[in-house]
Amino acid sequence: MENITKEMFTPVSTQDHQVQEMVFDTGATFFKDAWKRFRKNKGGVIGLFAIIFILTMALIGPMLGTHIYNELIAEHIDLPARVPFLENFGIFDGSVNGFNPYIKRGLTDIYYWFGTDNLGRDLWARVWMGTRISFFVAFVAVAIDVVFGITYGLISGYFGGKVDLVMQRVVEVISGIPNLVVVILLVLVLKPGLTSIILALMITGWISMSRVVRSQTLKIKEMEFVLAAKSLGASSFFIIAKEVLPNIIGQIIVMTMFSIPSAIFYESFLAFIGLGLQPPIASLGVLISRGYLAMLTYPHMVTFPVVVLSTLMLSFNLVADGLRDAFDPKMKGF
Amino acid sequence: MLKYITKRVFWSIVTLLIIIFILFLLLQFMPGTPFDDEKLTEAQRIIMYAKYGLDAPFWQRFGIYLKNILLEGDFGISLALQKNQLVQDIVLPRLGISIRIGLQALLLGTSMGVVYGVISGANKNTWVDTITTFVAVLGVSVPSYVFALLLSYFFGYKWRIFSITYRHGMPFWSSILPTISLSMFVMAQTTRFLRTELIEVLSSEYIKLVEAKGVKRIKVIFRHGIRNALISVVTILGPLTVTLMTGSLVVERVYGVPGIGDLLVEGILTNDFNVIVMIAFIYSALYITMNLAVDILYGIIDPRIRVAKGG
């Protein structure tokens, strides 16, 4: 104890005190704050870049290639992937199972980056066109079920009582039916096509969104600021739009991000079981379901769409995970 | 508790009846008829309709239909796949193999998921956790048919360890690859869920108390942590069942497994309504039973649930 002398202590200067109390930050908005946390999540950032890359390729990819996506060239059927420069390293050199159809058929100047399918169509262009279609289906379906799910959840949660009881019974019965059954039957009835697939995805997709929104609404509506708004005479619509919705937007965004890969998956799943989009439009799912038939002899036909699809789903899940942690700081330490 | 169970059973039955009705209703709007053969004349078609009772009024047909299903398990006859055979004679023999693969996948997936989840959750934010979390997100993202294609290409074709398609007479051997393909998602989902739960449990007050008492970390995790985290894993069994069914359709297709998933796809491709309906019904019934079992089980394990749900 004797070791501690008076000299070891210095008085706290008033200046230091001021510095400590000064506010440096301009204050972060909810989204800025979330973005700051999201940026630290490596997986999420990588996922975001991958999505941006794939989305860009879906938009401009088909134009970058040297072939058109729906052009049938009989002499060019079943060609494996061949990329200039890379072929010198023994990969993407156009050979499959130990032989090279490019050389055999005398097509030494021809390059198909992802190869061709059994009708001689360029897979590079088709994969990116397919990605575009898959994106379109997923975005439209998710957009509709987000809007519907939010509305349903808000009404059910906010008004409560009998309204909630009836609405939740409906949800209970619908969710008692496996999605699989609903989607298959609906697409069967309406005939496979863009509209029927989107509709089927939409009908099954909104339930989980409405559940999340409802449970959050139940929590928010008991808060003091809602009571304050109510006592000031705010209308239900105002409270829902200005008090409840902004407070649950984080969860909504996270749910949306989780719905997109699930919609992309369901679309490809339907294609696989013969309920996919009909030619001439081809989604990633359609390409995979065609490609896998020739998987053993020409693995390239299924590899490229599968890689794009899996990367896309993985990226969306990574971003969704990142956003969930970013919007929910409680989870931060976890 | 009894009241709670009765209530849940009642609602499950109501849901099932509604499902039968919806299935029947949707079938009325199916495009194409089972008698699409161009050689049939209009008169012949009418005779065919009368023979199979397809010309009676809607409610009458539904009444007969419901009675047949509930009393005899009779979903009618196959209209295209194996003409004039009872649907149940086609579907039921195939049910076993699907359920077997499904249960194997569920068992393998959840047990692996529990192991990974515990390892990951107990070592949060370490490199072990990072790897496990990444594997789990991979398993959740990549569709089961992609795993099926990969496994059949490498293990079945390249390295010839397993047969590439289903072999009759070797049910277990043939079910290994489909089981693994299906279990990936289950494993991943269980891992993710258990990890979050375990971390939450481990940071709770009573765990802090146990730790403060000086109990060893490993004992804290096994005695107190896992036990409470596992309870909530029960709740994801319902959604996992649906994923397994969805996956089984494509996985059975890839491996040529003679199960009901493959049969459903065949039914879809040939417009065999009755086969589709019976399998859809089986899927729904399985799902509802699973949810019911989970709810009751959860009510027994966690008393707070049955109080909250009124009973």
Side-chain angles (χ1 to χ4, degrees), chain A residues 307-333:
Chain A
V307 168
V308 173
L309 184 97
S310 305
T311 314
L312 201 54
M313 288 185 58
L314 178 66
S315 309
F316 270 110
N317 274 314
L318 284 172
V319 171
D321 277 352
L323 284 176
R324 187 191 52 204
D325 297 347
F327 282 131
D328 194 357
K330 265 190 307 181
M331 295 288 294
K332 208 167 114 193

Side-chain angles (χ1 to χ4, degrees), chain A residues 14 88 95 100 117 119 126-127 145 200 298 326 328 332:
Chain A
T14 39
N88 303 328
S95 59
N100 194 326
D117 66 3
L119 294 172
R126 283 177 72 72
V127 163
D145 68 47
Y298 300 111
D328 194 357
K332 208 167 114 193

Side-chain angles (χ1 to χ4, degrees), chain B residues 10 32 48 55 77 84 90 105 107 145 147 162 171 178 187 190 263-264 268 282 289-290 292 302 308:
Chain B
F10 172 76
M48 293 292 250
D55 55 348
I77 52 162
N84 294 335
I90 306 172
L107 207 69
Y145 64 77
F147 285 119
F162 293 93
M187 181 272 289
T190 316
L263 187 66
L264 177 57
I268 290 169
I282 290 176
T289 316
M290 195 63 169
L292 184 68
D302 194 340

